[in-house]
């Protein structure tokens, strides 16, 4: 209860734990006795579990809210049952980093063959956030190399379950939407691991004929199509996410395209996207907190190719092109006192800049028109160095007399 359990295996295969040790016997001709016992249950609560295997370059850090172990043990076979619920702070296999800050729930039966140094999942169920998976397969460890043959599959999941393991945060409103469609998530981790070899990690995920419905407004995002593949390499810089097809429809709105992200350490993006949107319906569905009113239409088509350096994206001018057209009647933001009216935008995306061919809008009774280029590759953000308030025209008028407010207005 409220402690730390640290499991360690060094590069030579020596470890800091041993359930069963060889008996001490000075007689070399003595017959070794067989050994067997049954463990009913060991329970852990609010424990930090640390695992490091230098021999197989594997480590993990999990905070177990609750965990329990039971099993049957002999000198040749361990038959172990494990259940755990908690938070994964990160699991690393080689240079591949997985499940950082994800909720975990595990329940599996593991058969350990001591003579082969083999671990086989007889039954495996685990959940990452709300994504429930079944696991099967085996792991065989050696002094110079190890072999993995693991597969996993989600039997029945929702669109929200699938999106919960993606590297972005969903709005809270998405959790209450009803989900329909064929959603799948399965994969494998198979191959030899050594200093020169790494197993292949492949994860297929997608949505066929999917929909999300807001139970309050009955507004529906329909015809959701998604075909995706995650390919894990030696490390995250050699891993990629490929979304070969993406499409969805909302009344008056539609988006489609494809996206590829290579080198997940320093992402390299290629995307082709096009669509149009009725902004009233978009706001009704997404319920953006800072937007009090939004009415209008927007259409876009773009091709993006670039890489992330630090906090900035550097776009390839030969491939990054696009057109954005928008007619926005009203935009009211909670943090601004004045609404935007009659916004008209025609912009061209070209490499690292956006050319405003036309931008018109009205704030209160004032009209604004803007044309020009907005670069996004400045060496540093613009800085305001000085404001001279003496240059602002300010007139003070003091009046006194026996006049009513209506009479003053006439003058």
């Amino acid at each position: 209860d409220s402690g730390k359990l640290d499991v360690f295996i060094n590069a030579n295969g020596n470890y800091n734990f041993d359930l069963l040790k060889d008996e001490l016997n000075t007689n070399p001709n003595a017959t070794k006795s067989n050994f067997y016992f049954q463990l009913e249950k060991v329970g852990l609560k609010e424990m930090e579990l640390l695992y490091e295997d230098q021999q197989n370059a594997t480590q993990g850090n999990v905070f177990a809210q609750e965990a329990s172990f039971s099993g049957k043990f002999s000198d040749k076979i361990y038959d172990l049952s494990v259940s755990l619920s908690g938070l994964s702070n990160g699991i690393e296999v080689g240079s591949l980093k997985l499940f950082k800050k994800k909720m975990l729930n595990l329940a599996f039966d593991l058969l350990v063959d001591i003579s082969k140094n083999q671990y086989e999942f007889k039954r495996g169920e685990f959940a990452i956030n709300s994504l429930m998976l079944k696991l099967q397969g085996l792991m065989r460890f050696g002094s110079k190399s190890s072999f993995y043959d693991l597969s996993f599959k989600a039997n029945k999941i929702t669109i929200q379950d699938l999106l919960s393991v993606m590297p972005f945060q969903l709005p809270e409103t998405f959790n209450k939407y009803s989900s329909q469609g064929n959603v799948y998530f399965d994969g494998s981790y198979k191959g030899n691991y050594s200093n020169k070899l790494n197993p292949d990690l492949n994860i297929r995920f997608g949505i066929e004929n999917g929909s999300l419905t807001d139970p309050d407004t009955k507004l529906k995002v329909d015809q959701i199509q998604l075909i995706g593949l995650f390919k894990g390499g030696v490390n995250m810089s050699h891993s990629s996410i490929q979304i070969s097809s993406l499409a969805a429809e909302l009344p008056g709105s539609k988006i489609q395209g494809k996206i590829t992200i290579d080198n997940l350490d320093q992402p390299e993006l290629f995307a082709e996207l096009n669509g149009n949107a009725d902004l009233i319906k978009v706001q009704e569905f997404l319920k953006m907190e800072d937007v009090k009113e939004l009415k209008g239409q927007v259409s876009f088509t773009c091709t993006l190719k670039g890489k992330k350096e630090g906090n900035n994206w550097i776009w390839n001018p030969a491939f990054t092109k696009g057109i954005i057209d928008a007619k926005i009647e009203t935009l009211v933001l909670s943090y601004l006192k004045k609404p935007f009216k009659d916004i008209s935008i025609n912009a061209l995306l070209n490499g690292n800049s956006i050319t405003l061919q036309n931008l018109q809008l009205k704030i209160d009774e004032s009209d604004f028109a803007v044309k020009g280029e907005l670069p996004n590759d400045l060496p540093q953000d613009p800085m305001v160095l000085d404001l001279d308030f003496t240059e602002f025209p300010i007139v003070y008028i003091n009046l006194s007399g026996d006049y009513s407010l209506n009479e003053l207005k006439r003058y």
Side-chain angles (χ1 to χ4, degrees):
D1 193 349
S2 302
K4 180 187 289 188
L5 181 62
D6 194 343
V7 177
F8 176 76
I9 304 173
N10 67 16
N12 296 321
N14 300 316
Y15 41 82
N16 65 346
F17 63 94
D18 199 348
L19 291 176
L20 301 175
K21 294 185 178 180
D22 290 336
E23 59 183 338
L24 295 176
N25 197 324
T26 57
N27 184 359
N29 298 319
T31 302
K32 185 177 179 180
S33 61
N34 294 327
F35 185 87
Y36 173 86
F37 78 93
Q38 182 171 337
L39 178 67
E40 290 189 5
K41 185 178 180 180
V42 172
L44 304 176
K45 188 175 181 180
E46 296 183 353
M47 294 280 290
E48 184 180 8
L49 306 180
L50 303 175
Y51 176 82
E52 182 178 1
D53 183 351
Q54 294 183 343
Q55 193 175 49
N56 295 286
T58 304
Q59 58 182 315
N61 183 326
V62 174
F63 178 79
Q65 192 69 34
E66 289 189 14
S68 65
F69 306 85
S70 62
K72 300 175 182 178
F73 302 87
S74 70
D75 53 344
K76 296 180 180 179
I77 298 292
Y78 299 170
D79 195 349
L80 184 66
S81 295
V82 177
S83 65
L84 180 147
S85 61
L87 174 70
S88 169
N89 293 309
I91 295 174
E92 298 182 19
V93 181
S95 298
L96 198 62
K97 299 178 181 180
L98 304 168
F99 309 141
K100 186 175 182 180
K101 299 299 181 184
K102 302 290 186 182
M103 298 303 298
L104 284 183
N105 283 280
L106 311 176
F108 58 84
D109 296 331
L110 188 65
L111 188 66
V112 182
D113 188 326
I114 304 301
S115 62
K116 298 179 181 178
N117 205 9
Q118 177 175 292
Y119 297 71
E120 180 180 358
F121 288 96
K122 298 192 302 179
R123 175 186 67 93
E125 297 176 354
F126 67 101
I128 309 165
N129 286 349
S130 57
L131 181 64
M132 298 288 297
L133 300 171
K134 290 189 176 295
L135 172 69
Q136 62 182 20
L138 59 84
M139 304 174 290
R140 189 180 304 118
F141 300 109
S143 59
K144 295 184 179 180
S145 67
S146 301
F147 175 73
Y148 295 84
D149 186 3
L150 301 172
S151 62
F152 48 89
K153 182 178 182 180
N155 287 337
K156 186 177 181 180
I157 60 173
T158 66
I159 294 174
Q160 292 95 324
D161 294 337
L162 175 61
L163 297 180
S164 72
V165 297
M166 298 298 173
F168 49 77
Q169 188 74 30
L170 286 174
E172 285 294 325
T173 53
F174 268 60
N175 294 326
K176 68 176 184 178
Y177 293 165
S178 63
S179 168
Q180 292 185 337
N182 178 26
V183 186
Y184 60 89
F185 184 97
D186 59 68
S188 62
Y189 185 69
K190 186 174 182 178
N192 292 300
Y193 176 83
S194 67
N195 292 332
K196 297 181 179 180
L197 299 173
N198 224 56
D200 294 324
L201 174 62
N202 294 295
I203 301 175
R204 294 188 326 120
F205 58 92
I207 305 167
E208 297 174 347
N209 300 318
S211 67
L212 283 171
T213 304
D214 184 337
D216 298 328
T217 64
K218 307 303 179 185
L219 197 60
K220 179 190 290 187
V221 174
D222 208 0
Q223 300 299 316
I224 301 175
Q225 307 287 337
L226 175 68
I227 302 174
L229 174 66
F230 172 85
K231 294 181 69 67
V234 176
N235 50 40
M236 296 302 280
S237 64
H238 290 81
S239 302
S240 65
I241 297 175
Q242 301 169 11
I243 299 178
S244 57
S245 178
L246 168 66
E249 296 183 9
L250 189 67
S253 308
K254 184 176 182 179
I255 185 172
Q256 60 185 18
K258 58 184 180 180
I259 302 171
T260 299
I261 305 174
D262 294 318
N263 184 358
L264 301 185
D265 272 337
Q266 295 179 307
E268 299 173 4
L269 171 71
F270 178 78
E272 294 178 340
L273 300 168
N274 65 81
N276 60 278
D278 180 341
L279 298 179
I280 290 181
K281 299 299 184 183
V282 171
Q283 172 59 13
E284 286 181 9
F285 190 81
L286 295 180
K287 297 179 174 63
M288 293 177 283
E289 293 182 359
D290 291 329
V291 179
K292 297 175 68 176
E293 186 179 352
L294 180 61
K295 184 179 181 181
Q297 298 282 336
V298 63
S299 64
F300 61 91
T301 178
C302 62
T303 300
L304 306 172
K305 185 175 183 180
K307 59 182 179 179
K308 192 172 185 181
E309 295 184 359
N311 294 321
N312 299 316
W313 282 92
I314 307 300
W315 301 105
N316 187 322
F319 292 92
T320 302
K321 309 286 183 182
I323 301 174
I324 303 169
D325 280 298
K327 301 288 185 182
I328 303 173
E329 297 176 33
T330 306
L331 172 60
V332 182
L333 301 173
S334 61
Y335 49 84
L336 295 178
K337 293 182 178 181
K338 301 290 185 180
F340 295 95
K341 298 280 189 179
D342 301 330
I343 305 171
S344 176
I345 302 173
N346 179 259
L348 298 179
L349 177 63
N350 186 12
N352 286 297
S353 65
I354 297 176
T355 301
L356 293 174
Q357 293 187 313
N358 177 50
L359 170 59
Q360 297 179 352
L361 70 149
K362 180 181 287 187
I363 303 175
D364 205 8
E365 297 302 320
S366 300
D367 295 319
F368 297 86
V370 179
K371 290 184 179 181
E373 188 172 287
L374 301 176
N376 70 349
D377 59 349
L378 295 174
Q380 63 183 40
D381 293 336
M383 297 177 63
V384 177
L385 298 178
D386 184 42
L387 286 174
D388 188 355
F389 288 97
T390 63
E391 296 297 320
F392 284 76
I394 301 173
V395 178
Y396 292 92
I397 301 176
N398 294 313
L399 294 175
S400 63
D402 189 14
Y403 291 94
S404 68
L405 183 61
N406 289 332
E407 288 175 312
L408 285 173
K409 285 182 176 178
R410 288 203 304 270
Y411 291 97

